[in-house]
Amino acid sequence: MSDLVSGKPPVAHNAAKGGAAKALADGEQLPYGVARNANDFRNLKSDGRNVTPTANAGQISATLTQEINAPAMCQFVYHIDANWTQADFDQFKPGSKLEISNQDIQAAKLAPLYVSGVSLDASAGERTHSALTVTAFDRMHFMRFGAYTAAFVQKNDASIFRWLADSADLKLDASGLSEDSYPYVLQDNETCYDFMLKRCAQGEYECMVVLARGVETLVVGKRRYDDTPAETLVYNHDIVAVNLDMRAPTLGSTVAAWGYDVVHGKPVMGSFGSNSPEFRMKGTQTAFEAAKPFGSSPVTLRRPDLIDESSLNHLADAARGRLQDTFLEGSATLKDINLKATPGIIVALDGLNANFNGLYQVVRSTHRIERGRNFTVLNLRRSGM
């Protein structure tokens, strides 16, 4: 039995934050991908066993965050009362494998999560309360452990990402990667995760860990722009709040990348400055077309480790893509939990105005379920208007 006897259930001090929306009425019909209430996140297993009934009954909230190029994270907050025993605490030991047995979660291909931290928040006295916050990440988090040095000679991106996937015991599913081989790439006394972020930045790649056919898989691909939207979200119907910022890009109208051919002893240049229609995301102009009144904004990159024009063009293309993606950014708070809105997909916003309606890429999704309110917050970006 726990000595941390609690009165009023608290809200965890370090739980992930987001917007707010009204709870759904009982019996209201929900579309696919929408979780009804906290019970949908209570079907939790730890190392293959159901979470104990005592802990399950005391769950206050659950927050699931998924983000491009970051480990998925889930926080479960539990109210501790006198019925808790040591077994209730032990099921959340570091490294415990958590799985949510929910149909919508499984359809969203959420991979298992591994407990990385546990926080105890308790106080005695007149306003006694106690809570346990369990934080877990998917296997991409394993790449954050340890600093390594590795050299890759005449290897392409697929080979490098395969090595990174192996480091976290993940299967690799890669598509759209550059096939160019690099003369020499060095992972220099850094975590595999930091090294992966560098490779993603160089190629404008996006990574996520999913559960594909029962196997934890690192999915790597190119940034999406002009895809058919997975769904349309309408303001004042699906969306209860938006916060969108449009900022003309100050760098990147053209990008030049300089390398050096050590064999022939001469510099080599690659460049990119195309306003491809796909960057408009079905709008009328790209970010850099909208910024024309301010003049040009060239950028020069220096990469002496790259010796061929193809690799330098690929680098310049990726750099320009990152710079234009800051054009239209913000968030949308949905009135329901929507598990279909996973990072990387394209959604269409409607019901705003001509400048802000249109296609957006979901960068991060935060699903929060509490007693009395359920909502999803989407972080979005757009490279055109």
Side-chain angles (χ1 to χ4, degrees):
M1 180 178 295
S2 173
D3 293 327
L4 299 168
V5 181
S6 172
K8 182 180 178 180
V11 176
H13 66 281
N14 62 345
K17 299 177 180 178
K22 294 181 180 179
L24 294 171
D26 290 340
E28 184 175 343
Q29 293 298 313
L30 300 176
Y32 161 76
V34 175
R36 180 173 296 279
N37 52 45
N39 288 328
D40 291 339
F41 278 54
R42 282 186 177 141
N43 297 325
L44 185 65
K45 290 186 176 182
S46 175
D47 290 333
R49 297 181 178 181
N50 292 329
V51 166
T52 59
T54 301
N56 198 28
Q59 187 185 105
I60 299 170
S61 67
T63 303
L64 170 63
T65 301
Q66 295 173 285
E67 185 174 0
I68 293 171
N69 294 344
M73 182 201 73
C74 201
Q75 285 190 320
F76 299 95
V77 183
Y78 296 95
H79 171 51
I80 303 172
D81 61 21
N83 295 316
W84 276 60
T85 67
Q86 189 60 44
D88 296 307
F89 292 96
D90 288 345
Q91 64 190 331
F92 300 123
K93 64 183 183 297
S96 297
K97 181 180 180 180
L98 303 183
E99 297 171 277
I100 304 173
S101 302
N102 171 277
Q103 183 178 357
D104 295 329
I105 286 285
Q106 293 169 355
K109 299 181 180 181
L110 178 69
L113 304 157
Y114 298 84
V115 176
S116 178
V118 179
S119 300
L120 177 65
D121 184 1
S123 65
E126 185 176 343
R127 302 183 64 180
T128 300
H129 76 265
S130 56
L132 192 74
T133 301
V134 179
T135 303
F137 298 92
D138 68 24
R139 270 199 174 272
M140 191 185 293
H141 183 61
F142 286 41
M143 295 185 186
R144 291 170 168 165
F145 289 78
Y148 301 93
T149 298
F152 302 88
V153 181
Q154 294 298 330
K155 299 293 184 181
N156 59 17
D157 285 330
S159 297
I160 294 173
F161 277 100
R162 186 172 298 107
W163 184 87
L164 286 167
D166 288 344
S167 73
D169 197 20
L170 292 165
K171 181 182 177 182
L172 179 66
D173 180 2
S175 61
L177 274 59
S178 171
E179 296 181 358
D180 295 330
S181 295
Y182 302 102
Y184 184 77
V185 175
L186 178 66
Q187 179 180 354
D188 188 10
N189 191 33
E190 57 192 328
T191 67
C192 291
Y193 179 68
D194 288 337
F195 181 59
M196 183 194 75
L197 292 182
K198 289 181 179 180
R199 304 312 302 171
C200 289
Q202 177 164 322
E204 202 183 9
Y205 300 140
E206 298 176 344
C207 295
M208 291 277 293
V209 171
V210 303
L211 191 66
R213 297 181 180 179
V215 179
E216 294 163 89
T217 303
L218 178 66
V219 178
V220 185
K222 288 285 288 184
R223 155 84 158 96
R224 298 177 182 177
Y225 286 95
D226 200 21
D227 284 6
T228 301
E231 65 180 302
T232 298
L233 303 173
V234 181
Y235 179 67
N236 210 24
H237 182 267
D238 309 291
I239 302 171
V240 297
V242 293
N243 186 335
L244 298 170
D245 295 321
M246 184 187 298
R247 298 182 299 273
T250 58
L251 294 171
S253 60
T254 60
V255 179
W258 286 91
Y260 192 79
D261 187 344
V262 294
V263 176
H264 299 95
K266 63 179 183 179
V268 184
M269 189 189 82
S271 62
F272 195 86
S274 170
N275 287 309
S276 173
E278 70 172 3
F279 300 148
R280 297 172 185 167
M281 299 188 76
K282 295 188 177 179
T284 60
Q285 55 187 340
T286 68
F288 292 112
E289 288 171 336
K292 276 187 177 180
F294 298 98
S296 62
S297 55
V299 171
T300 300
L301 308 175
R302 302 191 183 280
R303 288 293 301 270
D305 57 315
L306 299 180
I307 65 172
D308 65 282
E309 184 178 350
S310 177
S311 296
L312 291 164
N313 286 338
H314 185 63
L315 173 67
D317 180 9
R320 193 171 188 270
R322 293 196 310 275
L323 293 167
Q324 72 180 350
D325 273 343
T326 62
F327 179 50
L328 224 172
E329 296 178 302
S331 63
T333 302
L334 310 185
K335 72 173 182 178
D336 300 322
I337 296 288
N338 191 333
L339 297 171
K340 287 200 303 180
T342 55
I345 70 166
I346 300 295
V347 296
L349 298 194
D350 199 5
L352 301 171
N353 60 52
N355 288 344
F356 292 97
N357 286 339
L359 301 185
Y360 289 78
Q361 186 192 37
V362 177
V363 179
R364 180 174 64 208
S365 59
T366 302
H367 313 289
R368 185 167 174 82
I369 293 180
E370 290 183 332
R371 295 170 177 172
R373 62 172 187 162
N374 312 321
F375 60 91
T376 288
V377 178
L378 303 180
N379 289 79
L380 307 166
R381 65 183 178 186
R382 191 178 188 206
S383 60
M385 64 177 288

